[in-house]
Each structure stands twice: as structure tokens, then as C-alpha cells.
Amino acid sequence: MKAGFYQFNPEFGKKDKNLEIVLKILTESTFDFLVLPEFFATGYQFLTRDEVSELSEPIPDGKTTIALSDLSRKKSCYIVAGLPERDGNLFYNSAILTGPEGYIGTYRKTHLFYEEKLFFQPGDTGFKVWDTSIGCIGIMICFDWFFPEAMRTLALKGAEIIAHPANLVLPYCPQSMPVRCLENRVFAVTSNRIGIENRKPEQELKYIGQSQITGYDGQILFRAPEDEEVFSIIEIDPAKARDKQLNKYNDLFKDRRPEMYNLY
Ligand code: ACM
């Protein structure tokens, strides 16, 4: 199946414009599975709760979810996209999954990064997977990658391909994903953004680009440059992620010994 990402430079607060850019390029392209960055239509560096309130949306009734659901339906494809979610007077850093049937589900980011903690609630959905016609899809958002339990939980639940919307600023993720994927034998599509946000002059955020498609065997199948807009689609076979057997004697999941791991 054809899987990929769109790495670009969203302009803060210009939700309609960013969404329009994304809808145009997705409409003109052919793919089965596409991952967009974290907060892809709003920008990331919020300064106040009022800004979050203004740019966030309810799911599934908000404009962004409706637009991507419609597109998924029309093109019979799956899309994962990050957006600030409003639920009553609470806000979540969320990602939606849409597909041929329209809106499918939401994941709320578990591990909030830095000043996200000022505005957003820690996610309460847990790590979720969805069995679809193209394979079992799991979602984690940006900083979640830093916690090996995130991808492990998704993989143990059956995920074959991990959608990873991101706004990465630290340098470590691209070279770490091969290990995450290898130890879980899953594919991952990390969709990061590019550009700089300096809405707080003393706290410029430079996004590292390098969106990446990583194979179940730890191979980097495609990595985008640090600072270029890239729309990339490659062919992958998620079924390869079902077999956890390393050799005649070792199965990555059957060999686990949870009783030896004092994780709490
Ligand atoms: C991040 O979680 N946006 C770094």
C-alpha cells in the first residue's frame, strides 16, 4: 500500500489557509495512508489559553475533522492528522483517523511536552489501534516516542503501522525510530513540520523536519531533509509487521517476560 506524509511549514493561526494548502495537495495525490504533522493547521506555539480556545475544535464536528473525513471518503484513503481538540472547556493535543467511512477515531496525546502542559490536559484515551482494510493502525503523537512504552503498547495491541504526527524540536527522534520499530517490528510514519516559530522572542522553536518512514526491520525507508517542504509516498507492506519471529528460537513478543519487568 502507498503510505506517506506531508512535511511543510504551517503558518501560526492561519487555520483556513493551512487547511486549504493541505486539502489541495492531498486531493491531487494518490495514496492509501497519509500522516500530517501535529497541530498541522493551527501552528504549535500558543501563547495563551484564549488562543488555544480560538483555534481548537470539537471532534468530530469541527471544520478540520469534517474536511479530512470528506476527503478520505472521496478518495477512499486513510488520513491521520494532529489538531488541538476542544471538549467543553478542556483542551487536548489530539490526532484523528479518517478513512473511506469518514471519521474513525481520536487519540489524545499521553505525554505532553514542555509548555503544552500549560494549556492541554494529559490525554485520557490511552494508546489505541484500529483494524482497517490497509492494516492495523496505531497512533502516537510527537514526544510520546520518547517513552518506549507508547509504541510497545500499540504493538502489543496489534498495530502494524504507527502514525506519528509530530512537531519535533529536539534532534533525537529520527535516529531513534529505527530502534523503536525494530524492537516492535512495526512500520512508522513520522510526519514532522519545518520552519521556525518565534512568537516568544526568547523562546524560538526551530522544527527539525526529517519526517521519516521507518520499516519493521529498522531500515529508514525514506527521510526528508531538515528544511524543505516534502510530500512523500512510498510502497510498504504492513503484513510484514505481523510476524514477530526473529529466528527459529526467538519471537519478540512470545519471549517477553513481563513478570521480570518492574514497570510500575
Ligand atoms: C513535541 O512533543 N511536540 C515535541
Side-chain angles (χ1 to χ4, degrees):
M1 67 115 159
K2 294 183 190 321
F5 59 79
Y6 180 35
Q7 166 174 302
F8 71 115
N9 186 6
E11 202 177 326
F12 187 90
K14 301 276 193 285
K15 190 160 82 174
D16 289 349
K17 182 178 165 197
N18 295 325
L19 186 56
E20 204 176 300
I21 290 169
V22 166
L23 291 176
K24 182 169 183 326
I25 189 157
L26 266 56
T27 300
E28 290 167 354
S29 312
T30 302
F31 58 86
D32 302 298
F33 178 68
L34 197 283
V35 184
L36 293 167
E38 181 181 16
F39 292 166
F40 81 95
T42 59
Y44 178 82
Q45 196 178 32
F46 292 100
L47 301 186
T48 64
R49 205 176 154 81
D50 282 348
E51 281 184 350
V52 178
S53 178
E54 193 188 327
L55 291 167
S56 60
E57 298 179 14
I59 297 174
D61 298 326
K63 176 175 177 159
T64 305
T65 306
I66 290 172
L68 293 177
S69 300
D70 287 349
L71 187 73
S72 270
R73 232 183 263 113
K74 260 188 228 139
K75 291 180 74 81
S76 201
C77 64
Y78 292 87
I79 300 170
V80 172
L83 71 162
E85 176 188 1
R86 183 183 331 120
D87 183 2
N89 54 9
L90 297 179
F91 305 106
Y92 294 92
N93 181 339
S94 296
I96 50 163
L97 170 65
T98 62
E101 62 270 59
Y103 168 76
I104 296 176
T106 303
Y107 164 68
R108 291 171 167 171
K109 186 177 185 178
T110 302
H111 305 97
L112 297 177
F113 181 70
Y114 197 54
E115 291 186 341
E116 290 170 34
K117 292 192 176 194
L118 302 179
F119 306 122
F120 297 96
Q121 301 295 117
D124 57 359
T125 53
F127 293 97
K128 297 167 74 172
V129 303
W130 292 268
D131 254 318
T132 75
S133 62
I134 57 165
C136 186
I137 298 170
I139 303 179
M140 62 183 196
I141 300 177
C142 205
F143 190 51
D144 280 333
W145 81 265
F146 227 118
F147 301 81
E149 296 87 348
M151 201 192 275
R152 179 63 112 204
T153 304
L154 290 169
L156 288 173
K157 287 185 169 186
E160 294 155 6
I161 177 162
I162 309 293
H164 184 208
N167 273 189
L168 295 161
V169 289
L170 301 177
Y172 316 113
C173 181
Q175 57 269 43
S176 302
M177 289 304 277
V179 178
R180 288 281 174 281
C181 287
L182 179 66
E183 66 200 5
N184 291 294
R185 280 176 88 84
V186 295
F187 290 86
V189 179
T190 299
S191 181
N192 194 28
R193 61 165 290 172
I194 54 172
I196 289 171
E197 285 185 323
N198 52 8
R199 307 187 66 239
K200 250 184 177 175
E202 75 286 9
Q203 241 181 66
E204 178 177 284
L205 295 179
K206 179 164 180 8
Y207 300 100
I208 68 162
Q210 301 172 78
S211 295
Q212 183 167 295
I213 305 174
T214 313
Y216 71 103
D217 53 359
Q219 296 295 314
I220 296 170
L221 303 176
F222 184 85
R223 181 185 285 176
E226 285 174 29
D227 49 11
E228 282 172 36
E229 181 178 321
V230 177
F231 183 89
S232 175
I233 302 290
I234 65 166
E235 191 72 39
I236 63 166
D237 179 8
K240 291 222 165 79
R242 275 178 220 148
D243 181 9
K244 306 298 182 188
Q245 196 85 26
L246 271 188
N247 58 46
K248 199 170 146 192
Y249 299 103
N250 294 112
D251 179 292
L252 275 186
F253 282 8
K254 291 190 188 129
D255 282 359
R256 294 180 65 248
R257 298 188 58 200
E259 72 280 13
M260 305 298 279
Y261 314 148
N262 297 313
L263 285 175
Y264 286 97

